[in-house]
Amino acid sequence: MRVVIPARDDIPYAVRVALLFVLALSTVVVHINQAPPLRPAAELVSDLRAGEVTKVVYDRNWPAYGTLTWSHGPLSWSQARFDQPDDVWDPRTTRLVPEALERRQEAFLAQVRAAADPSVEIVRTEGFGALAGSPAYGRWWEPFGPVAVAAEILAWLLMLARPNPRYASRWAWFWMFLTGGSLLYVLLEPRPLWRDPYEALPAPVKIDGTRGFAIAVALLFGLAMVNA
């Protein structure tokens, strides 16, 4: 059986392309920048003296918690491995001691600034809230974070609002969205982006919720093996 998908039920082609571009870029940035390799913090100073660093990003609460990362390029980052210093925590209340933390942080950052070329950007962040999305966005280009989050939310809303998806049930797409399926959804639903709006398309074998869940689990397992 061949089915024609009417163009009037779809969002504009240009909007889908733009959404697909943002989601694809988001996927690349997250997979490359989400978990930079851990290196001793002292190696940052060595890299700075060698002229190999373009940007340093540190959390305002580092080294008590949070992160300090440095870049050799837009998609090449390292993260400081740092043992939590005991003196930044009050032993009685277990609360953070701001003065001690500031001393620790400034002592290290003084070494960083002394070793850094004037062209090296040193950025302090206030942490990453829900609107900023993954910390990986901030390591690449911080304004991209809200854009990527908005694109992901829009893809979810399209998936939930559109009736009768072609390639998988709504439950199947729900499970696959949890593992990055939004990119595939925008590419395929309600028809593949590369197909003509009024072209007759054969009815595909639809993936049900059980198979969608299995695909999501398999993908998560595969990503864990790759990152191990």
Side-chain angles (χ1 to χ4, degrees):
M1 179 180 179
R2 300 177 70 82
V3 181
V4 176
I5 305 295
R8 65 178 180 274
D9 289 342
D10 195 12
I11 60 175
Y13 179 83
V15 174
R16 278 184 71 188
V17 170
L19 187 57
L20 183 68
F21 174 78
V22 173
L23 291 171
L25 185 56
S26 170
T27 300
V28 171
V29 170
V30 167
H31 280 292
I32 294 178
N33 282 354
Q34 180 71 12
L38 292 173
R39 298 171 59 193
E43 291 190 14
L44 166 57
V45 178
S46 300
D47 287 354
L48 285 165
R49 288 172 178 159
E52 298 175 353
V53 178
T54 59
K55 185 176 182 179
V56 178
V57 179
Y58 68 97
D59 187 281
R60 65 189 177 93
N61 291 313
W62 186 90
Y65 52 91
T67 60
L68 183 146
T69 56
W70 66 96
S71 171
H72 302 279
L75 297 176
S76 176
W77 288 80
S78 298
Q79 181 171 321
R81 184 174 65 243
F82 196 94
D83 296 329
Q84 282 192 345
D86 293 334
D87 62 348
V88 302
W89 302 100
D90 187 310
R92 290 183 294 108
T93 64
T94 68
R95 291 181 178 175
L96 190 65
V97 181
E99 297 80 8
L101 174 62
E102 188 175 349
R103 273 196 313 272
R104 282 275 190 168
Q105 191 175 88
E106 279 304 314
F108 182 76
L109 290 175
Q111 299 179 51
V112 168
R113 295 187 182 100
D117 185 270
S119 62
V120 175
E121 186 179 4
I122 301 175
V123 179
R124 167 176 153 159
T125 69
E126 297 300 317
F128 296 90
L131 290 179
S134 167
Y137 301 141
R139 295 185 189 117
W140 179 61
W141 186 47
E142 195 161 356
F144 180 69
V147 176
V149 171
E152 189 69 29
I153 291 173
L154 178 57
W156 272 92
L157 292 176
L158 289 173
M159 184 270 291
L160 293 172
R162 278 176 173 167
N164 303 319
R166 281 179 53 83
Y167 291 92
S169 69
R170 193 171 281 133
W171 268 112
W173 278 121
F174 173 83
W175 295 120
M176 291 188 286
F177 262 52
L178 298 178
T179 56
S182 53
L183 177 65
L184 192 61
Y185 180 87
V186 173
L187 181 66
L188 294 177
E189 296 284 2
R191 63 180 184 279
L193 265 174
W194 61 89
R195 305 299 289 264
D196 183 85
Y198 288 98
E199 182 180 355
L201 301 177
V205 177
K206 183 178 285 192
I207 299 172
D208 60 20
T210 301
R211 282 186 291 172
F213 178 78
I215 291 171
V217 170
L219 184 57
L220 281 176
F221 180 77
L223 290 174
M225 294 293 291
V226 169
N227 294 328

